Amino acid sequence: MRLISSADRALWIPVTGSLGLTGRRHRKAAIRMLMAQAGTGLGRETLPGARFGSWLASQAIPFAMRKADGRVLAWTWKAEPELVVAMATVQELTPQLRTARAMMPMEYDDTEDFRTPLGQGEKLWMPVPPNPASPSSATYTWDTGTHLITLTAVCSDRERFGTLQGALDDLARSIRIATDLTGGEGDVLRLPPA
């Protein structure tokens, strides 16, 4: 299963489709932000070698994402790449993944229904996360029965996070599943889930 998106190019810069110098600034900003988030999760302000690590990762990640073949999509905010990073993933829904989701902390139960062409999903808006060092985030999830599709957005500025809600909702609505049709199936009409 692969994901595609028709994200608004006036607002979002795709990180996954960029190679070489194209999108390098946005790619580095997204990786720096994600590495900083990992550092605060470990109780450090910055990880040792984070600047070199983000440069190295910005060179290798586009190839890794291309190899992921649509299972991962990522974007940064066009006007200010350091403000928000969004990443969509698709995972096979194994019993272990279902168990891990069931064991998430209580604050992850405050979801609201969120309907898109992918079907009925859930939206979790966390402007003030339980850990004060963690950035504001939003998570959108859809359970297709066989796969779990997740869009996670992380924002570096808590005060401006609320202004991004409409744009993040639109980004979530732009995500679709790309199905490969083999010869002879060209006139199959596919409808979104009811």
Side-chain angles (χ1 to χ4, degrees):
M1 180 178 286
R2 294 181 303 116
L3 298 176
I4 57 173
S5 171
S6 56
D8 185 355
R9 295 283 181 131
L11 300 176
W12 299 101
I13 296 290
V15 175
T16 40
S18 64
L19 279 174
L21 295 176
T22 307
R24 186 172 72 90
R25 176 175 160 242
H26 291 85
R27 211 172 40 238
K28 283 175 61 176
I31 293 163
R32 233 186 347 263
M33 190 170 173
L34 293 172
M35 289 180 79
Q37 181 188 5
T40 56
L42 294 172
R44 295 181 168 175
E45 197 61 36
T46 59
L47 291 173
R51 291 187 69 82
F52 176 72
S54 65
W55 174 83
L56 188 62
S58 74
Q59 304 306 308
I61 283 180
F63 294 103
M65 286 184 168
R66 183 169 276 191
K67 190 175 179 182
D69 191 28
R71 293 187 307 263
V72 177
L73 299 176
W75 303 267
T76 60
W77 191 245
K78 184 175 183 177
E80 195 174 342
E82 293 81 14
L83 180 63
V84 65
V85 175
M87 186 164 57
T89 59
V90 60
Q91 298 172 290
E92 187 177 346
L93 208 45
T94 62
Q96 294 83 1
L97 184 57
R98 287 187 190 276
T99 302
R101 283 182 47 80
M103 295 175 65
M104 291 178 88
M106 189 66 93
E107 55 267 10
Y108 290 94
D109 290 340
D110 294 336
T111 59
E112 58 186 78
D113 291 340
F114 189 76
R115 185 144 189 78
T116 69
L118 290 172
Q120 186 63 40
E122 294 178 342
K123 171 182 164 181
L124 176 64
W125 194 257
M126 294 188 76
V128 182
N131 180 357
S134 298
S136 301
S137 66
T139 305
Y140 302 80
T141 54
W142 299 269
D143 183 343
T144 67
T146 58
H147 290 80
L148 180 71
I149 300 170
T150 307
L151 171 67
T152 304
V154 180
C155 181
S156 61
D157 188 347
R158 287 186 182 183
E159 293 175 5
R160 294 171 57 195
F161 185 56
T163 64
L164 299 169
Q165 187 165 4
L168 288 170
D169 286 353
D170 290 343
L171 178 64
R173 288 185 188 99
S174 77
I175 298 172
R176 306 278 191 280
I177 297 171
T179 55
D180 295 326
L181 296 175
T182 57
E185 291 183 288
D187 15 338
V188 174
L189 175 64
R190 300 198 185 271
L191 299 174

